[in-house]
Amino acid sequence: DQNLELKRRILIVDPNVFHLKLLHDNLSRIGHICTVTTNGYEAIELASNELYSAIIIEFSLPLMNGLETALAIKENHLNNETLIFLLNSPDALPLNLVKRLDKPIYLGNLRSLLPVHKATNI
């Protein structure tokens, strides 16, 4: 089902390749289709061409931080409704735009926040 596939698409943005692989592998194992990148500019480009159900962004990115990346993605009409999680971000966030998530990420906690798991209870 194309709608279910869309609900499983996640973009992961983290400059730490170890964390990127860990998140990718864990989310793929539970059925998500993950796209990964290590910088904000590439994330913005990916999000301008592909619709995601969720985007997970490390706050400390090179060149532009995670909040700047998230705001640029939200400006794009394709992913302006997409759920965005900022990892290790400061407390002062525009919570209507992004959700804060701290590392270490516990897969069970993250899973319960993702749209497909809420909708299908898988």
Side-chain angles (χ1 to χ4, degrees):
D1 177 306
Q2 191 174 8
N3 194 29
L4 183 58
E5 181 181 317
L6 173 61
K7 289 181 181 177
R8 293 182 177 277
R9 255 189 216 136
I10 297 177
L11 175 60
I12 306 168
V13 188
D14 196 316
N16 183 314
V17 178
F18 174 77
H19 292 145
L20 200 61
K21 181 170 175 24
L22 188 65
L23 260 176
H24 174 274
D25 291 352
N26 283 319
L27 289 170
S28 295
R29 192 173 315 122
I30 60 172
H32 289 282
I33 301 161
C34 300
T35 303
V36 298
T37 185
T38 58
N39 72 75
Y41 289 110
E42 190 171 307
I44 293 165
E45 179 68 26
L46 288 165
S48 68
N49 295 310
E50 184 81 39
L51 184 60
Y52 295 96
S53 63
I55 300 174
I56 302 169
I57 305 173
E58 167 61 44
F59 183 79
S60 301
L61 293 176
L63 306 177
M64 71 184 324
N65 71 38
L67 181 57
E68 294 166 332
T69 301
L71 293 174
I73 289 170
K74 287 290 190 179
E75 286 177 5
N76 178 324
H77 294 294
L78 187 59
N79 281 288
N80 64 345
E81 297 294 322
T82 300
L83 181 61
I84 296 182
F85 297 99
L86 270 183
L87 302 175
N88 294 336
S89 61
D91 290 333
L93 285 177
L95 292 178
N96 57 326
L97 297 177
V98 295
K99 304 288 181 213
R100 185 170 188 251
L101 196 60
D102 291 319
K103 287 182 182 175
I105 299 169
Y106 297 101
L107 188 57
N109 293 347
L110 179 59
R111 186 178 180 178
S112 69
L113 298 172
L114 295 172
V116 70
H117 296 291
K118 286 181 167 183
T120 61
N121 202 21
I122 59 173

